[in-house]
Amino acid sequence: MKLLCLDVPQPGASPEKYQPHMQDEVRHSWQMYKGGLIRDIYFRQNRPGVAIIAEAESVEAAKKALAEFPLARAGLIGWEVIPLGPFANWEALFASTGA
């Protein structure tokens, strides 16, 4: 299952509080990438944070894995996990208009 995972800063979180965890956070991200959970990772452009395209058996499995990030373990971030599916409306492009 493909998932969009958006970090959610928790109350009181700040870049200063993130800093002591960042090296471990990047190492952990690399391990998750090598392990196949992270397929793509992007910096968010609307605020500090990341958007991850993940691959997992279920939303629950992804949430469990994401909870192991150092920032999550420190209580500084949570995650919004959105399951994705194939875009099925391509056929509308080729539908007969009745003309």
Side-chain angles (χ1 to χ4, degrees):
M1 157 177 274
K2 194 167 287 215
L3 306 131
L4 172 61
C5 307
L6 303 171
D7 68 321
V8 178
Q10 298 302 293
S14 67
E16 294 78 25
K17 290 182 180 178
Y18 290 172
Q19 195 55 44
H21 306 282
M22 292 312 297
Q23 194 167 23
D24 289 336
E25 187 83 355
V26 173
R27 281 190 190 108
H28 186 76
S29 299
W30 175 241
Q31 292 303 315
M32 292 182 79
Y33 181 82
K34 289 191 322 181
L37 182 88
I38 293 177
R39 296 298 189 190
D40 292 300
I41 186 167
Y42 302 94
F43 281 121
R44 294 180 62 146
Q45 299 300 296
N46 61 328
R47 64 163 177 80
V50 296
I52 293 173
I53 302 295
E55 190 89 24
E57 291 183 21
S58 65
V59 170
E60 293 74 26
K63 286 181 177 182
K64 184 177 178 182
L66 293 165
E68 294 301 315
F69 270 96
L71 289 175
R73 291 180 69 127
L76 296 171
I77 64 168
W79 292 96
E80 180 179 3
V81 179
I82 304 164
L84 303 174
F87 182 77
N89 289 351
W90 293 115
E91 292 175 358
L93 292 172
F94 308 107
S96 173
T97 60

